[in-house]
Amino acid sequence: MSTATDIRRKIDSFEAMPVICQQIIKNMNNPDVDFGTLAEKIKYDPGMTMNILKLANSAYFGISKRVESLQTAIVMLGMKKLFQVVVAQKTTKHMLARMDGYDLLPEELLKHAVWTAVAAEEFSRVLRITTPELLFTAGLLHDIGKAVLDPFVAENRDALMDNASRHDMTFDMLERNTLGMNHAEAGSELLKRWHFPQELEAVIRLHHEPESAGEHRMIVTIVHLADMLAYSQGVGTGIDGLKYRVSEEATHALGLKGRIVERVASQTLEKMTELEKTLAEMM
């Protein structure tokens, strides 16, 4: 049977984030960052340059006039949105494959990830909650651990289902009980390997346990509810989508009402279609 050690070996085998990503992280809160120098470094990666321009010009990022210059795109996006773009470009490819362990068709995990990211921002906007600019990235990456765990889930499917029949557990609990690590923990470990901000690690690790999030409670709560809303809309349900529980504490904390949830679901559907297509075209 697979163990947490096997899973950690797979995490260690994932490709590293490019050096430019680490430089962006270091400069995210630096008001004196040299955008020209940054653009000079990025331009030697044609794929990244093209995708920064493509996403900067997408309707989702809301830049009013077409951007043709890489440096202009970087300045207009700002460091935190640039981080979103680079992370999206480098991570979405891991969400495109078919996942037999989770019963997800090709691109289904990406669709769920984008839906959750957009819904998280919609919850923040509709409820007028000031949240970190990393909220979208947190939503996009919340299930990245499934890209790590999928072969282990497939290999141990019978044991997982046997545990499910004998215990009243959510699917993340079943993963931990059977494999020694669940997809949230695997995703958090992957973000540590990439040297991502601790805030993002916390969201990925605790998105099924928002009541344990401490100082990051609000961003974790919003991503948790966006994730649950995506499942309720049938987006990326797979084998596990109906085996999670909505945190009553999280729902109470945001004072959610049915009309708010319906509004967020409707607006998310409108916004995510083009963004999902743009992200898929980047591969």
Side-chain angles (χ1 to χ4, degrees):
M1 181 175 290
S2 298
T3 65
T5 301
D6 300 317
I7 296 169
R8 289 182 189 280
R9 285 197 192 103
K10 181 166 185 187
I11 292 169
D12 290 341
S13 73
F14 262 69
E15 65 180 319
M17 276 287 136
V19 174
I20 191 65
C21 191
Q22 304 310 320
Q23 292 176 334
I24 292 170
I25 291 172
K26 288 178 183 177
N27 285 286
M28 272 200 290
N29 297 308
N30 178 8
D32 300 318
V33 62
D34 186 336
F35 289 104
T37 300
L38 202 57
E40 278 295 312
K41 292 177 179 177
I42 291 174
K43 77 177 185 180
Y44 292 106
D45 184 332
M48 188 181 293
T49 297
M50 179 183 69
N51 287 326
I52 287 172
L53 289 169
K54 186 179 292 184
L55 279 173
N57 284 299
S58 71
Y60 190 83
F61 283 94
I63 295 176
S64 57
K65 63 178 182 179
R66 181 156 188 85
V67 180
E68 303 288 349
S69 157
L70 175 62
Q71 184 170 338
T72 301
I74 292 171
V75 171
M76 294 184 77
L77 285 170
M79 293 302 291
K80 289 181 180 174
K81 277 195 168 60
L82 177 63
F83 179 68
Q84 289 181 14
V85 172
V86 172
V87 169
Q89 194 245 343
K90 291 298 182 181
T91 61
T92 50
K93 61 184 176 183
H94 298 299
M95 305 182 209
L96 291 172
R98 176 185 179 89
M99 296 195 174
D100 292 326
Y102 289 100
D103 280 348
L104 293 172
L105 295 172
E107 298 186 22
E108 232 181 332
L109 183 60
L110 176 60
K111 185 173 183 179
H112 177 83
V114 175
W115 216 99
T116 301
V118 176
E121 290 201 324
E122 284 302 300
F123 269 124
S124 175
R125 189 182 64 80
V126 169
L127 295 170
R128 297 180 182 178
I129 297 171
T130 301
T131 55
E133 289 186 62
L134 294 177
L135 179 62
F136 179 89
T137 305
L140 186 69
L141 297 181
H142 77 284
D143 271 347
I144 190 68
K146 288 185 177 180
V148 175
L149 236 57
D150 182 65
F152 300 99
V153 172
E155 181 183 345
N156 294 279
R157 186 78 165 264
D158 290 343
L160 275 163
M161 293 302 99
D162 181 57
N163 266 332
S165 67
R166 291 187 291 110
H167 304 287
D168 180 23
M169 292 181 177
T170 58
F171 199 83
D172 56 308
M173 293 177 183
L174 288 170
E175 289 172 330
R176 186 186 294 128
N177 185 275
T178 308
L179 306 175
M181 184 183 295
N182 65 33
H183 70 274
E185 292 162 337
S188 177
E189 289 299 315
L190 185 57
L191 263 62
K192 281 182 184 176
R193 169 173 162 73
W194 288 337
H195 305 290
F196 277 15
Q198 288 185 350
E199 182 179 40
L200 287 178
E201 287 181 33
V203 177
I204 277 59
R205 185 176 69 255
L206 297 170
H207 70 273
H208 290 300
E209 307 172 56
E211 58 280 352
S212 303
E215 63 179 309
H216 303 300
R217 190 168 186 170
M218 185 54 68
I219 186 172
V220 175
T221 294
I222 291 174
V223 171
H224 167 77
L225 292 171
D227 182 30
M228 294 298 100
L229 182 57
Y231 284 133
S232 76
Q233 299 296 304
V235 182
T237 50
I239 190 178
D240 62 321
L242 301 178
K243 294 183 174 68
Y244 297 113
R245 299 187 186 117
V246 179
S247 168
E248 291 183 11
E249 191 173 324
T251 304
H252 179 72
L254 295 188
L256 286 189
K257 298 179 180 178
R259 59 184 175 78
I260 293 175
V261 175
E262 289 173 7
R263 182 178 171 189
V264 168
S266 174
Q267 292 174 343
T268 298
L269 184 60
E270 288 180 17
K271 289 186 175 183
M272 66 85 62
T273 303
E274 180 179 347
L275 184 56
E276 179 196 8
K277 180 181 177 183
T278 301
L279 289 173
E281 286 175 352
M282 286 164 48
M283 297 303 101

